[in-house]
Amino acid sequence: MRLATILDGEVPVAALVRDAQALPLLRDGGDPWSVRQLAAAGPEATAQVRRWADGQPLASWRPLASVTLGPAVPDPGAIYTVGHNYRAPGEVPGAAPDRPLIYGKAASSVGAHGGRLAWDRELTDNVDAECELGVVIGRAATDVDAAEALEHVFGYTIIDDVSSRDEWLDGDQWLLGKSRPGFCPVGPWVVTSDELDPR
């Protein structure tokens, strides 16, 4: 299942994407779902949404080209990034550190697929971007055994990890250089883990 966040006026609403169409997802009572709520609700909610969507009339679906996409997950609780495949110049491909580097991006850096990315060139002009696999965690978990970790993955998305490499923003901490507004475009959608094996 592909889930996007579309803007209904100014309100972000989760939408099911099939072919070139999007269906805004509503809960009982008419309130819209968010992708984050669906992820936290687990597989039962995902199955319920599939059944509900199958019963919706064609008129409820919107052409994907006519909707405005927001970030796939516009309200992440946290964004952690894992640097495990970095290597020094001359190091053999496949070499990896013994312990991965973990760093964060502020949730306020999230941007939309197709959104405009702009920054103050006087503040930083040394900016680059890297395409990354985004892992969307569903059910909350602490101290999960490695063998059970994937049970907590709701789905996968595309993250554009934009960074300022200027020393005063990047330095040895990275948070400021990676967390400028819009420096984390997410999407266009989340593909649920039952439909994508990232390996």
Side-chain angles (χ1 to χ4, degrees):
M1 183 161 61
R2 293 182 297 163
L3 295 166
T5 296
I6 62 173
L7 299 181
D8 194 359
E10 295 295 315
V11 179
V13 177
L16 178 62
V17 176
R18 284 186 184 159
D19 302 318
Q21 296 189 321
L23 175 67
L25 300 178
L26 305 176
R27 292 184 281 182
D28 294 337
D31 291 331
W33 279 100
S34 74
V35 172
R36 185 172 173 189
Q37 289 168 333
L38 276 169
E44 302 80 23
T46 305
Q48 178 187 354
V49 162
R50 278 192 177 105
R51 287 191 302 272
W52 177 84
D54 289 342
Q56 296 308 300
L58 288 177
S60 297
W61 293 80
R62 302 178 188 178
L64 195 54
S66 73
V67 300
T68 301
L69 292 171
V73 184
D75 57 345
I79 304 169
Y80 296 105
T81 54
V82 181
H84 192 63
N85 58 350
Y86 299 149
R87 61 181 192 264
E91 216 174 349
V92 232
D98 294 333
R99 185 170 179 225
L101 174 65
I102 307 295
Y103 55 92
K105 291 178 82 81
S108 59
S109 69
V110 166
H113 167 78
R116 184 169 181 263
L117 179 60
W119 63 89
D120 183 344
R121 303 298 169 121
E122 291 182 23
L123 178 69
T124 179
D125 64 353
N126 187 8
V127 171
D128 66 35
E130 301 166 295
C131 184
E132 307 286 358
L133 173 67
V135 180
V136 180
I137 303 300
R139 295 179 295 126
T142 304
D143 297 326
V144 174
D145 185 82
E148 298 171 357
L150 291 179
E151 295 174 18
H152 295 273
V153 173
F154 175 70
Y156 303 93
T157 189
I158 298 169
I159 302 287
D160 198 349
D161 179 15
V162 182
S163 305
S164 165
R165 300 298 187 191
D166 286 311
E167 186 64 29
W168 78 274
L169 281 173
D170 191 40
D172 62 352
Q173 296 183 19
W174 298 11
L175 182 65
L176 292 177
K178 289 184 169 289
S179 295
R180 310 292 306 158
F183 272 28
C184 188
V186 180
W189 37 70
V190 174
V191 178
T192 53
S193 60
D194 60 328
E195 293 195 8
L196 177 68
D197 180 349
R199 295 169 291 179

